[in-house]
């Protein structure tokens, strides 16, 4: 929004009125608009859940390429940026 000069409040209203509407935007939107990013769910917990999903999938001979990629990015962020306690 900042790069396109669209006010963040306008962007959040548009998102809330379409298919992208969800509780996360409504809950985090005001903090995003205020450039505040408190931790609601640490990355380390989200990654743990990803790991559990991948483990379950592997035991059932299911591949989850998108989940695998997301998990890799989470692990990299936690390793290289010490972001485990940051919001996911």
């Amino acid at each position: 929004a900042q790069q396109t000069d669209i006010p963040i409040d306008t962007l959040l209203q548009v998102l809330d009125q379409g298919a992208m509407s969800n509780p996360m935007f409504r809950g985090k939107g005001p903090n995003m608009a205020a450039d505040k990013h408190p931790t609601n769910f640490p990355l380390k917990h989200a990654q743990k859940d990803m790991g559990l999903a991948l483990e379950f999938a592997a035991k059932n001979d299911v591949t989850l390429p998108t989940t695998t990629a997301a998990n890799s990015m989470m692990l990299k962020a936690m390793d290289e940026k010490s972001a485990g306690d940051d919001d996911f």
Side-chain angles (χ1 to χ4, degrees):
Q2 293 170 342
Q3 292 177 344
T4 61
D5 294 326
I6 298 172
I8 190 77
D9 292 334
T10 300
L11 175 63
L12 291 170
Q13 287 175 351
V14 169
L15 290 173
D16 196 40
Q17 294 175 12
M20 295 292 293
S21 179
N22 65 68
M24 185 180 306
F25 286 141
R26 276 184 237 109
K28 291 181 176 261
N31 280 332
M32 289 170 52
D35 201 24
K36 295 180 182 174
H37 307 281
T39 300
N40 295 309
F41 192 67
L43 179 62
K44 63 186 174 189
H45 297 314
Q47 188 282 317
K48 174 194 62 89
D49 293 348
M50 285 278 198
L52 292 171
L54 289 168
E55 184 179 316
F56 181 77
K59 287 180 182 177
N60 290 282
D61 296 319
V62 175
T63 58
L64 300 173
T66 303
T67 305
T68 300
N71 188 58
S72 294
M73 292 174 68
M74 290 178 173
L75 289 169
K76 183 176 179 179
M78 290 191 309
D79 182 49
E80 293 179 6
K81 299 182 182 195
S82 301
D85 290 321
D86 292 346
D87 207 34
F88 77 101

